[in-house]
Amino acid sequence: MKIALIADVHGNTLALDRIIKEARSQGAERLISLGDFIANGPFPVETLKMHRENGVEMIRGNTEDYIADAYRHERKSESFLALGDTIRTSIEWCSQLFTGEEISFLESLPISIEISLPDGSKLLCYHGTPASNLGVLRENSDDAIFESIIEENGSQYYAGGHTHNMYIKRYKGKIFINPGCSGMPICSYAEGKPASFFAGTEYVMLEVSEKGGFIASIRRIEICKKELLGLVQSSDMPNKEARLAMIENCCCAK
Ligand SMILES: [Fe+2]
C-alpha cells in the first residue's frame, strides 16, 4: 500500500498534475492533500476540480476557511485580519471565483483524516496540528507541543503541512512528517532572510509494510521555469509580477 502526502499546493495545477501522474504510476492508492491547496496561486478553481476528479482526498486548511468566510462576507477572525496584503488579496480574489456548491464543499472538508495501517497503527493527517488548521508544528517546535499532540491523539504517525518546511522527525517513538510545499517548494531558508524557491514540486510517498511501519521517501520533481512562468502568465492571479519574479529566481536541480 502506497500513500502520497501532498501539502500546500496553493493553486499550482502544474505541480499537482505532476504529483498525481507520478504517484499513481508508482501505485499510490491514496493521495492526501493536507490543506491550503487553492489560495495564493494561479489556478484555484482548476486545482479544486483536479483534486475532485482525481480522487485526491482533501483536508481543510486555514486558507480554505478564509475563502469560505470571505465568500459569506465574514472576514472577522483575528487570524484573517492579521494576514499580509498578498495573501489577503488572493483570498478575496479566490472567494469571487467559486460557486456556492464549491464553497459548501470546502466547508464540508474535515480538518483531519485518520488512516488505519495494516498492522493496526494509525496515521493522522491534518493541516497545522491535529486540533487546529492554524496550529504551527515545526521540526524545532517546543517539545511541549509534540507532547500534547501525542497525549491527545493515540496515533503512531502524524502528517501535516502549513509551514512549508519539509521534515521527518522522530519524537518519543512517534513519527512526524511534513511534506513541505507542493506548490512552491522552499530551496533554502535562513531566519530573517527571504526564502529561495525550487523550480518544481515536492511531496512524500509512504510505502506501507504489511508487517508495520513504512518507507517514507521525499520526492522532488523539477519543472521547467518556462512552464511555470507560462502557467502564471496565463492566470488572472493578483500580484502576478511578484510571482513571476519569484519563479525567475528559483533554483533548479541541475
Ligand atoms: Fe496554512
Side-chain angles (χ1 to χ4, degrees):
M1 179 194 195
K2 285 185 181 171
I3 301 168
L5 299 171
I6 308 164
D8 297 76
V9 174
H10 288 294
N12 186 339
T13 43
L14 206 47
L16 183 61
D17 180 62
R18 295 293 158 88
I19 293 175
I20 291 171
K21 284 189 178 133
E22 183 181 281
R24 290 281 188 219
S25 74
Q26 293 186 7
E29 286 169 34
R30 295 181 75 167
L31 281 73
I32 316 284
S33 186
L34 302 168
D36 280 10
F37 46 88
I38 46 182
N40 204 15
F43 286 102
V45 174
E46 293 76 5
T47 302
L48 174 63
K49 276 196 184 126
M50 202 182 275
H51 276 76
R52 297 175 87 173
E53 287 171 5
N54 289 280
V56 181
E57 297 167 65
M58 287 159 271
I59 283 169
R60 178 163 45 88
N62 56 308
T63 55
E64 279 78 50
D65 277 344
Y66 294 146
I67 291 167
D69 287 351
Y71 178 88
R72 302 204 186 282
H73 305 289
E74 293 165 6
R75 303 176 176 88
K76 297 187 180 70
S77 77
E78 255 178 59
S79 61
F80 182 84
L81 296 172
L83 290 175
D85 283 349
T86 304
I87 182 76
R88 194 195 291 223
T89 312
S90 174
I91 299 288
E92 297 289 354
W93 176 62
C94 289
S95 72
Q96 293 160 20
L97 302 176
F98 289 100
T99 64
E101 186 277 332
E102 287 165 333
I103 294 293
S104 299
F105 176 80
L106 292 174
E107 289 171 326
S108 75
L109 293 174
I111 68 155
S112 66
I113 294 175
E114 188 182 67
I115 299 175
S116 296
L117 302 181
D119 69 339
S121 61
K122 309 270 189 207
L123 165 67
L124 186 59
C125 302
Y126 47 86
H127 179 60
T129 61
S132 166
N133 59 14
L134 281 167
V136 173
L137 190 63
R138 297 186 188 280
E139 188 175 11
N140 61 355
S141 286
D142 284 350
D143 286 359
I145 303 178
F146 287 96
E147 299 279 356
S148 69
I149 289 173
I150 291 169
E151 209 177 285
E152 287 162 23
N153 303 278
S155 303
Q156 177 70 22
Y157 306 106
Y158 297 85
H162 187 48
T163 64
H164 296 193
N165 275 287
M166 179 185 275
Y167 63 85
I168 298 177
K169 172 181 172 124
R170 184 170 63 181
Y171 185 84
K172 295 201 172 168
K174 315 292 182 196
I175 306 289
F176 291 82
I177 300 170
N178 185 324
C181 179
S182 302
M184 185 60 82
I186 292 175
C187 185
S188 67
Y189 175 79
E191 202 71 41
K193 290 186 180 168
S196 70
F197 298 92
F198 171 72
T201 185
E202 64 187 8
Y203 70 106
V204 166
M205 182 80 101
L206 304 180
E207 196 173 335
V208 182
S209 159
E210 292 293 320
K211 292 177 186 160
F214 48 70
I215 296 167
S217 43
I218 292 168
R219 307 288 177 99
R220 274 197 158 180
I221 308 168
E222 191 164 13
I223 301 176
C224 161
K225 276 188 195 178
K226 256 191 187 170
E227 273 189 90
L228 287 166
L229 290 168
L231 180 82
V232 173
Q233 261 150 359
S234 64
S235 125
D236 296 321
M237 72 179 282
N239 299 304
K240 197 154 105 171
E241 294 309 316
R243 181 58 57 94
L244 290 170
M246 212 188 244
I247 296 168
E248 285 285 7
N249 292 323
C250 272
C251 48
C252 303
K254 290 165 200 144

